[in-house]
Amino acid sequence: MPQDEENILLILSSPSGAGKTTLSKKIQQKYYSFKISVSHTTRSPRDNEVDGVDYYFVNKEKFQELIEKKSFYEYAKIFENFYGTSKKEVNSIIKTNDILFDIDWQGTKQLTSFKNLRLVKIFLTTYDKEELKKRLIKRNQNSSEEVETRLKSFDKDILHWNDYDYVLINKNLEVCFKQIEKIIITEKTNLTSSLI
Ligand code: 5GP
C-alpha cells in the first residue's frame, strides 16, 4: 500500500450504537485532512443512506467476486452481512489524506497484518450494556430483533479491546471527542518528530 509518510490510518471500532458514526462525522468536520474509507456491504441501505457515500451497496455475488479478485484489504461477516474495505478506495486516499476507518475488530486484525501501515486503533464503548440498549432503541434504525442481535454481539466485541491502542468510554460525546482529538494530535506530532 503506497502511504504518504505523514498520513495516519485511524480505526474507530465499537459495538453498534456506541456513538461511532457521530464521532466520525465530528472528526471529519474539524480535521479536513481526514477522509472516511467508504466500505462495501451486502446489507440493504437504511432510509437516510446514500450509495457511494455511506457504503457501496452490492449484492452477495458482487461481493464474492471482489473477494476472489482480492480487491479487499480486509472483509468480515457481521450480522449475516458482509463488509469490506477495498484496496482501490484506500490506495487513492492515503496518498493525500489521513483515513478514518469505521470497521469491526475482525477487519482491524486483518489490517494490523500490514506492518508498513501507520495504524492508530481506537476502541470505543459505552459505559454499560443498558446504555447501549437505550441508544439502539432511541436511534430507531433497527427492529427489536436486530437490537437484541446487536446487544448479544456486544459481549463478543468487548473481548477484543486489547487489540487496540486506545480504549475510550463514551459517557459524554464532547468529552469523548476531546479525547479523540488529543489522540490525533499526539499521533500526528509523534509522527512528525520521528521524521525530523
Ligand atoms: P452497520 O450495519 O451498523 O452500518 O455496521 C455494522 C458494523 O460493521 C459496524 O461495527 C461497522 O464498524 C462494521 N463495518 C462497516 N464497514 C466495515 C468494513 O469495511 N469492514 C469491517 N470489518 N467492518 C465494517
Side-chain angles (χ1 to χ4, degrees), residues 12-17 20-21 37-41 43-44 46 49 54-55 63 72 74-79 81-86 101-108 110 139 141-142 150 157:
L12 208 51
S13 294
S14 77
S16 194
K20 188 175 42 179
T21 310
S37 159
V38 179
S39 299
H40 284 67
T41 184
R43 130 163 123 55
S44 309
R46 297 181 184 131
E49 287 180 329
D54 298 286
Y55 282 104
F63 200 95
F72 294 120
E74 64 74 32
Y75 67 90
K77 190 177 184 195
I78 307 164
F79 311 127
N81 287 302
F82 287 93
Y83 296 81
T85 302
S86 96
F101 293 91
D102 172 348
I103 61 173
D104 81 331
W105 60 269
Q106 304 175 76
T108 303
Q110 292 169 54
R139 79 176 187 181
Q141 282 177 342
N142 308 101
R150 281 165 193 250
D157 291 348

Side-chain angles (χ1 to χ4, degrees), residues 112-129:
T112 306
S113 68
F114 293 90
K115 297 291 176 214
N116 58 326
L117 297 184
R118 257 207 68 83
L119 292 179
V120 179
K121 298 175 281 181
I122 302 179
F123 188 83
L124 182 73
T125 184
T126 48
Y127 184 63
D128 62 20
K129 217 167 152 180

Side-chain angles (χ1 to χ4, degrees), residues 25 35 37 51 66 71 77 84 88 108 114 153 171-172:
K25 286 197 179 128
K35 287 219 183 314
S37 159
D51 187 36
L66 291 169
S71 304
K77 190 177 184 195
K88 205 167 140 197
T108 303
F114 293 90
S153 148
K171 237 181 157 180
N172 172 298

